[in-house]
Every structure is written in C-alpha cells, then in structure tokens.
Amino acid sequence: MEAGGQRRKGECWRTVLCFLLCFGQQISAQIRYSVQEEVKEGSVVGNIAKDLALDVSTLMDRRFRIVSGSDEALFVVNQNNGVLYVQRKIDREALCDSIGACLINLKLVVENPLEIHYIAVEIIDVNDHSPTFTEKEKRLEISENTLQGTRFQLQAASDPDSVVNSVRLYKLSQNEHFDIEIRDRGEDKLPFLVLQKPLDREKDAEHNLILTAIDGGNPQRSGTLNITILVLDVNDNRPVFSQDVYSTTLHENVKIGTLVMKILASDFDDGPNGEVSYTFGGGNNQNMLHIFTLDRITGVIHVIGEVDFEKTNVYKLDIQASDNGQPPLTTDCRVIIKIQDINDNEPTIEVTSLSKIVSEDSKPGTVISLISVTDRDTGVNGKTVCALSENIPFELKPSVQENMYSLVTKGNLDRETVSHYDITITASDLGQPPLSSYKTLSVQVSDVNDNPPEFILNPIELYMIENNSAGAPILTLSAFDKDLNENSMISYQIVKGNGTQSDMTSFLNINSETGVIHALKSFDFETIKTFQFYALATDSGSPSLSSNVTVNVFILDQNDNVPVILYPVSSNGSAEGVEEIPRNVNAGHLVTKVRAYDADIGYNGWLLFSLQEVSDHSLFSLDRYTGQIRTLRSFTETDEAQHKLIILVKDNGNVSLSATATVIVKVVEPKEAFAVSDVKNTVKDEEENNMTFYLIITLGSVSVLFVISIIVLIVMQCSKSTDYSSKYVQDPNYDGTLCHSIQYRSGDKRYMLVGPRMSIGSTLVAGSNGNTLVIPDRRRRDSGEVRIVY
C-alpha cells in the first residue's frame, strides 16, 4: 500500500509539472521537459521544433542547435525533425542535489533570423540507489548495569535519491534487549537504539544486531548496518566452584609433593572481575596448613607434610575463592580428604599383671599374665594373631574381648628340670606384607620341697686301713638336693643299730651339717673285717624329705703282725732246734723245714726265708718260699761236726716284719744217727702231732676267713654297677708256707689268687685271666667305687 501511494504521488507530480510547463510556454515561451534518469541513450525527450512552432524544413538551414554548456552532452537535437534525444546516460544524483527538483537548462539557437530559446529538462529521479551507511559495522560498548530505556544514537543512512526515494524508515533485527527509535531532525531521520531489557554479560557478552534502512522508492531499496554490542562487565557474579564438596582419597605416608587434587571455581564476570584466586578458609585447623598447600592461582593442592592415618583419618579443608573485582566477591567450598590406611604400624604388645615367679606345683591353667595386643592400623592391617615360642609349658588363651589373651600354664612345671623360662610372644598383623613385634617375658619357677636328698653312691663301700686313729674322720657323706634354699639344706645322722656285736654305730659319730663321719675307736682287721651301718640325709623343707644310704665298711689289713716261728721251737719257747744228720747223706738231703705263720694276709702275710748266718755256705741251701733246708753236697772228713744256721723269716709288707730261727745241724756217724734218730723220731712225732694240730687250727681259721671274704666281695660285686675302669685293692705280697694272698679288681669283677711262687717284683697284666676267678656281674648299681681310708 505504501508503494502504491508513492506511485500515485509521482504521477500527480508529473501532471502538475506538465501543466506548469504548458502554462509556462504560453506565458514565457519556455519549454520544459522531463525525463527519467537512467533512460537509454537515444530516448526521446520532446519535439522542440513542434513545441516552438518552427518549420522543420528550415531547421537545417537555420542551423538549429544546442549551444548550452557542458550539459549539452547529455542531450542532442535532431536538425531533421527537431526532436530532442538523450545522448548519454543520465545520473540525476551526479547532476543535482537530492533536495529539490533537478533541472537541466538548454539553450537553443536558430539563425536566419536569430532566435534563442531556453528549454528546461527536469531529470526525474528513479530509485536507483539503496540507503547506505558510512560504516559497514558499528561497535557499541554498553555496561551490563545500564538502566532500561537508555538510548544510543546510531548513524543515519544516506540515500542520494530524491526525498521521495530517500530513507523513510529503519528496522532492527529481532532481539529481546534492544529496539529502534527514529527521530526527525529536520529532513533527516535519526535512528536511536533503545535498551528495552537489562543486559547480562554472563549470559550474552555480545549482541549482534542488523539495522536496516529502507527508502521510499518503488520498489523499495534498503541498506544494512551490522551493530555489535559488547556488554561491559560489572562484578555482579561471585566465583562458583564446580562442586560444593570435593572428596578424594589419599594413602598415608605419601611423598612430599604428591598431588592431592585440583579445585576449580569459575566467575562469569570478565577481566579482573572474573580472575579467581584461592585461599584456605579461616576455620581450618592450623595443623592442616603444615600438611597441605594450596596454589593461589591454579587451585592445586599438594602434600607438604606427613600424612598419618593414625593421627587423622579424614581432613576437612575449607577453601575460599575470591575474584579481583572491587569490591571482591567470595565463595567457599569444602575439600574432604580421606586417608587410606597402609600397614605401617607394628602390633604393640602390652603386658599387665605379670607374675614373674610361678610355683613349680602350679596346676595347669594357672594364669601368669594378661596380654593385650593393639595395632594402630585399621581393617585387615589392624587384625593380629599371637603365638608363643615352642616347647614351653605355657599357652595363650583368648579372652572374650578381642586382642586380649591370658598367659596360662598348660603342663606341670618342674623347677629342677627348667628353673627359668624366657617366653617370647610374637604378634603379627594380617597386612600385606605382615608386620610383627616381639616381647620376651622372663618367668622364674619357684621351688617347692618335692625332691628328697640323694646320695651319689648307694651303697657306699668304705675301705679302711686297720689301726686307724681314734677320732679321725673316716668318711664324708655328701648328698645333694635338687631343691633350693631351705628345701635343699641337708642334715645328716647315723641310724642307730640293734646293739648286736656287729653293730658299730656306737663307735661312729657324724657331723650333722658337714656329713663327716669320725671313728671313735681304732679297728683291728684281725678282730673285725667288715661291718655295715646306715646314714640318713634330711632336708629342711616343710614337710621335710629324707633318704638313707648304706655304708659297707671293709677293714683292710696292715702289716702289724710279726711272723711267728712254728718250727723249730725249743722247750723254753725260743725258735731254736737241733737237727742231727748222718755224715754219709748225699747232696739234696732234706735236713729240716722251718715253718712260720703270719696273722696278716696278702703280701703282709707272705713269708720269705733267707739264711742270715751259716757256718759253711757250700754245705746247706734254704728254699726261700718253703723254708726247706737241704744239703748242697756230701760231707767230707774235714767238715765240722756241728753247723749253726740262723734263718730270717720276713713278710712282704711295705715295712716288713721279721723273726729268726736258729737250727743247729750236727753231723754224726751213721750208727749214732740211727739211735738218736729213733729217740728223736719218737719225740719228734709227738711234737709234730702237736704241731699238726696247731697247724690244722691255723689253716682252718685262715680258710674260713678267706671264704667269708670271698663271699662278702661277691655279694658286694653283684650289687655294683659295671665300671670298666680297673680299680685295685692291692694286698701286700705274701710268701710263706701259708698262701692266702688275694687281689681284687672291681672294674673287671675278678678275684685274683696270687700263687706262692710269684716274686715280689712280679706284675699282673691287665686283661690276663691267669690265676683269676671271674665272677659275672648280673646287676648294675650306682656304687662302683672303692674307698680306702688309711
């Protein structure tokens, strides 16, 4: 409708213009034409000859022409027909101002006669230009806090076309914040940008608008201006964290410098208003500031101290973010750092109510101590198991409460076997790898009187040399007690006998503290050879315990008896005799035999004979073992009729004792010898009968004593344990008419019968069975030692 109205207005203006032109010709005789710009070259403007009433045929001769200025070039007149044509393209905007009508005045000349005519050609505007803006783009900076309704003047668009075809209106591209307002400033229309809705830079920091200027032509032309509105920031937004609460996990004992996390706060403002910095909040524990550090610019949190789960398992950090606006705006967030436990703590063993001394008679199950185990770690790392060292009579019993144990006895204790225990408790956790700790408890087993005194040997064989000093010690009893202190203090006493003849306890005395036994009398081997008594050892425990020991005393012979001459014996009792032999006896004739006896035994009773004095050594010989006197040769006439032989008889004691016998040998003629021999034989037979009786008694006594000794030794030997070391009871050498020398080897359980022909210097080879009576040992006992008291 607007375009149609403008078209009608144009036609109306042309009608008026034609009327004025026609009216003007009649009045002023000036012709006025109109032509639209941009018409084609050669277009007819008007027929001047006709309008001026000129004869067309004379135009050529009269030189009809346009003589105006430079504008003539726009038009040309045809001399043949007087028509005005457009010679070149017409641009009204180049020729005229767009304010008023654009008239081109042409001056035409006709000669013969000279006529000058003025023609006006109006250039009718055509809408051939679009509105244009001096700038292709307009940038505006508007603060986001600008009030609603604020106006911003924009540049007006220009259009060189006529007023009708120039800019008539402005349009703004669709948007929610701005509108366009047009104000007339004279003939110009000025556009204003009006803020209809407050701006928010954080929502839209830039608005791109298009301003369109539209002219009044038909068809309409338009031009556009790109408007860029930059919204200037105002610090109206606080920093915003990406999360209100940040949460992360961190292993304890991490290295210093370990990255914990990065927090991020954004500020929708721009520039300094949107630059965010981070700080710890004031409500944080100051200790945390020694463990964690916060980068002020990047928001990165690092570890700068020791992270220990056992001290703190969760760290809660308050962090503040601030922008750099004036004034700055802040916001807060919380960072929760959960510390994950690692197995870095060994179990701790705590001992309470420890009984360091335990009685050996404690029953199994007796509580010794209470054990508690703690581990500062958590979960599996804090679970513990306990164990004790092996081969001890103790065990751990778990309590109702976790990680609590009772250390109890699990078997009978014996202080005499083990008096002290070092109990090692091992506590291990279940972490990977597991950690362990150890604790050693020292427990002393206290003594009770559960062991009687014991003798090392039982029975004890005491070998004592006769003729001991009365009151001198003969034996020290020694018993030991496995118990301690009072329980091991031992007192000794001799058990009194039955008072019989063989009871020797009345002749013995014992020191109750030292166990030293004294003999109150001197013993004589020839009177008593062995006896037995009992001793008792008692401890001081409560109740006291005791044990006894059997002491077998063997009296050993001492060379204290002088050899006794049995033959020859004179009537007055002296050892002297007279023997008569015929002069005609041959060499080797038995003159007589000296017989002797020694009450001692063994070597002490072993007699040897020797000639101490003899009148003629070439006549007589003496057998040193048998005492036989024989002739060495036949008598001669020159030999004396009487010879005196002094025979020395001595035993083989260490200090030998001796006796002498005197034998007078008378050499007689054979007849006298027979007569005397008969008388002497009668007397001699009588004496020999008496001598034989005494000899039988002596031999019987010796034999009985020998058999008793053998029996006693066999009984003692059977009661002894095997001892492979040889111990000898060495009897004195014995040489004489009565041989009863005995040698005893306790290790080999042998009795050696020493033959009469063994010399004093003879030796016995160990292991030899010659002259040895072997007694098999069918029992083994603790006594195997032989003690000899001198």
Side-chain angles (χ1 to χ4, degrees):
M1 291 179 66
E2 186 177 356
Q6 291 180 354
R7 195 179 302 116
R8 285 194 297 272
K9 288 180 181 180
E11 292 176 353
C12 182
W13 277 103
R14 276 193 293 272
T15 302
V16 173
L17 182 59
C18 290
F19 172 77
L20 291 175
L21 288 174
C22 292
F23 183 76
Q25 285 179 348
Q26 293 177 359
I27 297 175
S28 62
Q30 185 180 13
I31 299 173
R32 189 174 182 175
Y33 298 101
S34 64
V35 64
Q36 290 185 345
E37 64 175 333
E38 304 295 339
V39 295
K40 294 180 180 181
E41 294 178 3
S43 298
V44 176
V45 177
N47 193 327
I48 298 176
K50 182 180 178 181
D51 293 332
L52 291 177
L54 295 177
D55 184 3
V56 175
S57 62
T58 64
L59 293 179
M60 182 68 70
D61 294 335
R62 297 181 68 182
R63 294 183 62 191
F64 181 66
R65 64 185 183 277
I66 300 174
V67 292
S68 58
S70 60
D71 291 335
E72 294 179 354
L74 294 176
F75 303 98
V76 67
V77 67
N78 191 330
Q79 294 179 350
N80 292 323
N81 56 14
V83 177
L84 183 65
Y85 294 96
V86 176
Q87 184 177 346
R88 61 182 182 87
K89 185 177 179 181
I90 301 173
D91 184 2
R92 177 185 175 281
E93 289 75 27
L95 297 175
C96 304
D97 189 357
S98 59
I99 298 175
C102 182
L103 296 177
I104 303 299
N105 295 312
L106 299 178
K107 184 178 181 181
L108 285 86
V109 176
V110 180
E111 297 178 357
N112 297 321
L114 178 61
E115 296 180 9
I116 298 175
H117 299 279
Y118 292 94
I119 299 173
V121 180
E122 183 182 5
I123 307 301
I124 305 300
D125 183 49
V126 177
N127 192 21
D128 59 344
H129 288 86
S130 298
T132 59
F133 294 92
T134 57
E135 297 175 347
K136 292 183 180 180
E137 183 175 352
K138 177 68 174 178
R139 295 176 67 87
L140 293 177
E141 293 181 349
I142 303 175
S143 176
E144 63 177 328
N145 62 349
T146 302
L147 298 178
Q148 184 176 351
T150 303
R151 289 173 174 81
F152 302 92
Q153 183 178 350
L154 302 177
Q155 62 173 318
S158 63
D159 192 332
D161 293 330
S162 63
V163 176
V164 177
N165 292 326
S166 65
V167 178
R168 291 299 180 190
L169 59 91
Y170 291 91
K171 289 184 178 180
L172 190 63
S173 59
Q174 184 68 34
N175 69 95
E176 61 177 341
H177 291 280
F178 295 94
D179 198 1
I180 194 70
E181 181 179 304
I182 301 174
R183 291 185 177 183
D184 292 331
R185 298 284 177 89
E187 294 180 355
D188 295 330
K189 296 184 181 296
L190 296 180
F192 287 86
L193 194 64
V194 181
L195 180 62
Q196 298 291 335
K197 183 180 179 180
L199 297 175
D200 186 359
R201 192 206 64 81
E202 290 70 40
K203 185 176 181 182
D204 290 308
E206 182 179 296
H207 297 271
N208 294 311
L209 306 176
I210 299 175
L211 178 64
T212 303
I214 303 173
D215 61 18
N218 186 16
Q220 293 178 330
R221 287 180 178 269
S222 62
T224 59
L225 174 64
N226 292 325
I227 302 173
T228 300
I229 298 174
L230 299 177
V231 182
L232 298 180
D233 183 54
V234 175
N235 192 23
D236 59 345
N237 288 278
R238 296 179 181 275
V240 178
F241 284 100
S242 58
Q243 298 174 223
D244 290 336
V245 178
Y246 292 86
S247 181
T248 186
T249 58
L250 187 68
H251 286 289
E252 66 172 328
N253 301 333
V254 294
K255 295 181 179 179
I256 293 177
T258 300
L259 173 65
V260 179
M261 69 177 344
K262 180 179 181 180
I263 60 173
L264 179 63
S266 59
D267 194 319
F268 295 120
D269 295 326
D270 191 22
N273 297 331
E275 294 177 356
V276 180
S277 59
Y278 305 92
T279 57
F280 283 118
N284 291 318
N285 190 326
Q286 292 301 313
N287 292 332
M288 297 182 184
L289 304 183
H290 300 293
I291 300 175
F292 301 101
T293 183
L294 173 64
D295 191 289
R296 179 181 178 85
I297 304 302
T298 62
V300 175
I301 301 174
H302 286 92
V303 176
I304 60 171
E306 180 186 9
V307 179
D308 190 357
F309 173 87
E310 287 69 40
K311 292 181 179 178
T312 305
N313 58 5
V314 176
Y315 292 94
K316 296 179 180 180
L317 306 177
D318 291 326
I319 296 178
Q320 186 179 78
S322 302
D323 58 28
N324 292 330
Q326 292 300 326
L329 300 179
T330 62
T331 187
D332 298 293
C333 76
R334 170 157 285 191
V335 175
I336 298 176
I337 304 173
K338 298 178 180 179
I339 307 303
Q340 290 185 342
D341 181 48
I342 63 174
N343 194 24
D344 62 338
N345 288 279
E346 297 177 350
T348 301
I349 303 173
E350 295 182 0
V351 180
T352 57
S353 304
L354 173 63
S355 298
K356 294 185 178 180
I357 299 177
V358 182
S359 177
E360 65 176 320
D361 61 350
S362 298
K363 295 181 180 179
T366 301
V367 177
I368 305 302
S369 177
L370 298 179
I371 309 296
S372 63
V373 180
T374 58
D375 195 314
R376 296 176 62 192
D377 297 320
T378 60
V380 177
N381 296 332
K383 297 289 184 181
T384 59
V385 292
C386 288
L388 292 181
S389 48
E390 297 180 352
N391 301 323
I392 58 174
F394 299 93
E395 63 179 349
L396 285 175
K397 283 192 175 181
S399 177
V400 177
Q401 186 177 352
E402 188 177 7
N403 295 331
M404 292 289 293
Y405 303 88
S406 297
L407 178 63
V408 300
T409 58
K410 70 173 181 179
N412 294 321
L413 303 178
D414 185 6
R415 189 207 63 80
E416 289 70 38
T417 303
V418 180
S419 62
H420 178 270
Y421 291 95
D422 288 325
I423 305 172
T424 301
I425 302 173
T426 303
S428 302
D429 59 31
L430 301 181
Q432 291 298 326
L435 299 178
S436 301
S437 61
Y438 307 90
K439 192 153 194 138
T440 300
L441 308 181
S442 294
V443 176
Q444 193 76 27
V445 181
S446 63
D447 184 54
V448 296
N449 192 28
D450 58 345
N451 289 279
E454 296 181 17
F455 289 94
I456 298 175
L457 297 176
N458 194 359
I460 298 174
E461 281 78 26
L462 174 61
Y463 291 87
M464 184 174 64
I465 301 297
E466 64 176 332
N467 302 322
N468 57 291
S469 299
I474 60 173
L475 176 65
T476 300
L477 294 180
S478 178
F480 67 94
D481 196 314
K482 296 179 181 178
D483 297 321
L484 291 176
N485 302 326
E486 293 81 2
N487 296 331
S488 63
M489 294 179 61
I490 299 174
S491 60
Y492 302 91
Q493 66 183 67
I494 295 176
V495 180
K496 296 299 181 180
N498 51 14
T500 60
Q501 187 177 1
S502 61
D503 181 19
M504 294 293 169
T505 57
S506 58
F507 301 105
L508 301 175
N509 185 35
I510 187 169
N511 188 314
S512 61
E513 294 181 359
T514 63
V516 177
I517 298 176
H518 300 266
L520 302 179
K521 63 169 288 186
S522 177
F523 295 100
D524 185 10
F525 173 81
E526 288 73 31
T527 302
I528 182 171
K529 293 178 172 55
T530 181
F531 64 90
Q532 185 181 74
F533 68 92
Y534 301 95
L536 187 68
T538 305
D539 59 30
S540 299
S542 179
S544 61
L545 300 177
S546 61
S547 62
N548 56 16
V549 64
T550 301
V551 180
N552 295 311
V553 181
F554 297 93
I555 307 301
L556 299 180
D557 182 49
Q558 192 177 24
N559 192 23
D560 60 343
N561 288 281
V562 178
V564 176
I565 304 297
L566 298 179
Y567 181 81
V569 178
S570 64
S571 58
N572 58 4
S574 62
E576 184 177 283
V578 178
E579 295 292 337
E580 293 181 353
I581 59 174
R583 185 177 291 276
N584 60 352
V585 296
N586 296 324
H589 175 73
L590 176 63
V591 177
T592 187
K593 180 178 182 181
V594 178
R595 294 179 176 87
Y597 166 72
D598 195 318
D600 298 320
I601 64 170
Y603 287 106
N604 294 329
W606 190 356
L607 302 179
L608 294 178
F609 301 88
S610 63
L611 287 172
Q612 189 175 15
E613 292 183 12
V614 61
S615 57
D616 189 350
H617 289 283
S618 64
L619 279 177
F620 302 98
S621 66
L622 175 66
D623 190 297
R624 66 176 301 181
Y625 298 110
T626 63
Q628 291 180 352
I629 301 173
R630 294 182 182 273
T631 59
L632 291 175
R633 61 179 175 81
S634 300
F635 290 96
T636 63
E637 294 296 332
T638 60
D639 291 330
E640 297 288 337
Q642 181 174 319
H643 299 274
K644 183 178 180 181
L645 284 73
I646 299 176
I647 293 92
L648 178 66
V649 181
K650 67 177 181 178
D651 55 29
N652 279 306
N654 288 332
V655 178
S656 62
L657 301 177
S658 62
T660 58
T662 303
V663 176
I664 298 174
V665 179
K666 292 182 179 181
V667 180
V668 297
E669 295 302 324
K671 292 181 180 180
E672 296 177 359
F674 288 137
V676 174
S677 176
D678 290 338
V679 175
K680 287 185 177 182
N681 283 340
T682 302
V683 176
K684 192 172 184 178
D685 287 339
E686 184 178 354
E687 291 177 353
E688 285 185 355
N689 287 335
N690 293 332
M691 185 67 67
T692 301
F693 176 73
Y694 293 133
L695 184 61
I696 290 173
I697 292 175
T698 301
L699 290 176
S701 300
V702 171
S703 299
V704 169
L705 290 175
F706 176 73
V707 171
I708 291 174
S709 298
I710 293 296
I711 293 173
V712 171
L713 290 175
I714 291 174
V715 170
M716 290 172 57
Q717 185 63 25
C718 291
S719 63
K720 294 178 182 178
S721 61
T722 303
D723 185 0
Y724 293 98
S725 63
S726 294
K727 299 183 180 69
Y728 294 92
V729 179
Q730 205 171 31
D731 291 336
N733 294 333
Y734 182 82
D735 195 359
T737 55
L738 300 179
C739 179
H740 48 269
S741 177
I742 302 171
Q743 189 177 53
Y744 170 60
R745 296 179 64 186
S746 65
D748 296 339
K749 308 298 184 291
R750 295 172 178 174
Y751 291 91
M752 301 184 65
L753 306 180
V754 182
R757 290 296 177 182
M758 295 179 63
S759 65
I760 296 176
S762 299
T763 59
L764 295 177
V765 180
S768 173
N769 291 330
N771 297 326
T772 301
L773 174 63
V774 179
I775 308 296
D777 186 9
R778 301 186 182 274
R779 294 186 302 166
R780 304 183 64 174
R781 298 183 61 183
D782 291 337
S783 68
E785 296 186 0
V786 177
R787 179 167 180 174
I788 302 175
V789 178
Y790 294 92

